Amino acid sequence: MAAITQRSFLNLTALKSFTAETRTRYERRKLGANSSVKCSQTLEGSAQSVTVSNGKDSLVISRVLNGMWQTSGGWGRIDRDDAVEAMLRYADAGLSTFDMADHYGPAEDLYGIFINRVRRERPPELLENIRGLTKWVPPPVKMTSSYVRESINISRKRMDVSSLDMLQFHWWDYSNSGYLDALKHLTDLKEEGKIKTVALTNFDTERLQIILENDIPVVSNQVQHSIVDMRPQQKMAELCKLTGVKLITYGTVMGGLLSEKFLDTNLTIPFAGPPLNTPSLQKYKRMVDAWGGWSLFQVLLQTLKRVASKHGVSIPTVAVKYILDQPAVAGSMIGVRLGLSEHLQDTNAIFSLALDEKDINSIEEVSKKGKNLLKIIGDCGDEYRRA
């Protein structure tokens, strides 16, 4: 691997803004005999799955992923047995990719119980399709090889797997370039077979370029992306287009705000609308406020409802499909409240929905009336790093 360095960042609004060295490297990967080095996105015989890859590393995942943040508390008590049974139902329905993190409460442990149930009770073909994506969010300590290895071994043990399907890495403080050391060690663990693919979560465009220029083979970056929050398409999508790195999106239905439940409601009047009683609803309500406020959000919901009614689907189905159709997006997350509620019917409808030009134009018209969140908040992930 090339020496780890933190290079200065260049404007990424167009291909010409890259250094000649970077441009030549990626064009050679795109056009030359070694084009397989470039990340790629290909449908695996079905609109339900996608392959993210970089060089010899690749992973097939569901285009709609089951997000397990909701197991960490704040959404209701999770019963272990009920949760595992719900995971089995999702997997049996073809929704076989689960996204979790080292800090999502019992999520990794639940996956370990679940995957053992699959090994014992399901055919080998289903086991082959199961994917467990986890995240590592370390404190800002020195990233030694032994520290990284020990941390990853904890997730491997909790999830009861010899090799993590995907390790998505988060870093809090960009002024500390230790993230490059951590990613180098993660890449070494990948070469040892402890990790199948290395990825990122909540990295901005500048740092993504630096990471790629250091020849760290990340396959994806998980970022917040919805009809309200279109920041990934303003800046990061250009780099993704050049390099092939894909986006996995979360917050796509804004914790449930993008749904019929909040249509024609007035949250400015106390107790007049549905309660914002989960961490995700509270988080994404703040995004609505920054984007344009509740009145404009109602216009968006009304627009989405017209599109949804036209196609015989729900508002969340339209919201997810719109983001899945955006450039560079490989998959979108839908949070699962395991054992408490399920969204199997809505999720399966996403794969058969085709938005036409009129649908897209009507959604874009409202979306663009909102404020530019890139200017207000910053690039992808900056909402977690603001003072």
Side-chain angles (χ1 to χ4, degrees):
M1 175 172 293
I4 299 294
T5 60
Q6 184 163 1
R7 303 184 186 180
S8 61
F9 178 64
L10 302 174
N11 192 329
L12 291 173
T13 57
L15 176 59
K16 65 181 181 182
S17 62
F18 281 84
T19 61
E21 174 189 356
T22 304
R23 189 189 321 159
T24 300
R25 181 190 309 136
Y26 286 120
E27 286 303 315
R28 185 182 303 119
R29 290 178 178 181
K30 288 171 69 178
L31 302 174
N34 196 29
S35 60
S36 63
V37 176
K38 180 179 179 290
C39 301
S40 65
Q41 175 178 325
T42 56
L43 296 181
E44 295 290 313
S46 166
Q48 297 190 28
S49 64
V50 62
T51 301
V52 292
S53 65
N54 192 331
K56 65 180 185 296
D57 308 328
S58 66
L59 190 71
V60 179
I61 62 173
S62 301
R63 294 213 71 200
V64 174
L65 300 87
N66 304 312
M68 296 180 65
W69 180 31
Q70 284 75 4
T71 66
S72 61
W75 287 265
R77 181 182 176 274
I78 297 292
D79 178 85
R80 185 191 71 175
D81 294 338
D82 289 346
V84 172
E85 289 292 340
M87 294 174 75
L88 288 167
R89 287 193 293 274
Y90 278 104
D92 289 338
L95 301 171
S96 55
T97 300
F98 296 84
D99 179 88
M100 64 210 83
D102 58 346
H103 61 289
Y104 285 3
E108 290 184 334
D109 301 299
L110 289 172
Y111 183 86
I113 299 170
F114 157 75
I115 199 66
N116 273 301
R117 288 279 303 274
V118 173
R119 289 166 182 156
R120 296 194 309 266
E121 302 172 13
R122 297 296 190 272
E125 305 84 60
L126 180 61
L127 179 61
E128 291 175 2
N129 292 329
I130 302 295
R131 298 291 182 267
L133 285 52
T134 195
K135 307 180 192 76
W136 180 43
V137 185
V141 298
K142 186 174 178 60
M143 293 290 111
T144 64
S145 176
S146 60
Y147 179 79
V148 175
R149 181 182 297 273
E150 290 168 5
S151 299
I152 298 312
N153 281 342
I154 292 173
S155 289
R156 291 173 57 228
K157 182 178 180 180
R158 293 180 69 191
M159 296 173 66
D160 200 9
V161 293
S162 60
S163 180
L164 300 175
D165 290 324
M166 179 184 288
L167 192 285
Q168 301 166 104
F169 174 69
H170 175 87
W171 190 251
W172 292 108
D173 183 8
Y174 291 145
S175 67
N176 178 352
S177 62
Y179 67 89
L180 292 170
D181 297 319
L183 284 164
K184 177 189 179 298
H185 297 315
L186 289 173
T187 303
D188 291 341
L189 290 173
K190 177 185 67 67
E191 294 300 320
E192 293 179 20
K194 304 283 194 301
I195 301 169
K196 294 176 183 174
T197 54
V198 175
L200 306 172
T201 181
N202 289 315
F203 271 79
D204 65 7
T205 312
E206 177 178 347
R207 257 53 62 161
L208 176 56
Q209 183 197 342
I210 291 169
I211 289 165
L212 292 171
E213 288 189 341
N214 278 281
D215 294 326
I216 296 169
V218 297
V219 298
S220 62
N221 186 20
Q222 187 177 135
V223 296
Q224 184 172 293
H225 195 357
S226 67
I227 296 172
V228 166
D229 187 0
M230 295 295 291
R231 287 177 297 158
Q233 296 304 320
Q234 293 177 262
K235 196 172 183 180
M236 185 168 291
E238 285 292 331
L239 180 58
C240 291
K241 180 180 178 181
L242 175 66
T243 64
V245 171
K246 296 301 174 184
L247 301 177
I248 296 175
T249 74
Y250 66 88
T252 308
V253 296
M254 304 189 73
L257 288 178
L258 285 171
S259 69
E260 282 79 2
K261 182 177 181 180
F262 289 91
L263 177 64
D264 297 329
T265 62
N266 185 356
L267 295 189
T268 62
I269 302 175
F271 310 109
L276 302 177
N277 56 0
T278 69
S280 53
L281 285 172
Q282 295 159 13
K283 171 183 178 179
Y284 294 115
K285 172 57 165 57
R286 293 192 291 270
M287 295 300 297
V288 169
D289 294 340
W291 171 71
W294 197 250
S295 294
L296 181 58
F297 187 68
Q298 285 299 309
V299 176
L300 175 59
L301 285 179
Q302 291 160 8
T303 301
L304 293 175
K305 181 60 177 177
R306 286 193 292 272
V307 174
S309 297
K310 169 184 168 181
H311 293 280
V313 297
S314 68
I315 288 176
T317 298
V318 175
V320 174
K321 180 60 174 178
Y322 182 83
I323 296 302
L324 281 176
D325 288 345
Q326 296 298 310
V329 174
S332 290
M333 201 88 55
I334 298 181
V336 290
R337 300 175 65 181
L338 298 171
L340 299 175
S341 63
E342 295 186 3
H343 52 73
L344 288 170
Q345 184 174 351
D346 277 354
T347 301
N348 284 324
I350 294 168
F351 301 120
S352 58
L353 175 62
L355 298 175
D356 59 34
E357 185 176 359
K358 184 178 179 181
D359 300 331
I360 294 169
N361 289 341
S362 65
I363 295 170
E364 287 181 350
E365 182 180 355
V366 182
S367 177
K368 290 178 180 178
K369 289 180 180 178
K371 297 175 183 176
N372 186 340
L373 293 181
L374 186 67
K375 293 182 178 179
I376 296 173
I377 299 174
D379 201 1
C380 299
D382 283 357
E383 60 268 31
Y384 299 104
R385 299 180 179 89
R386 295 183 345 185

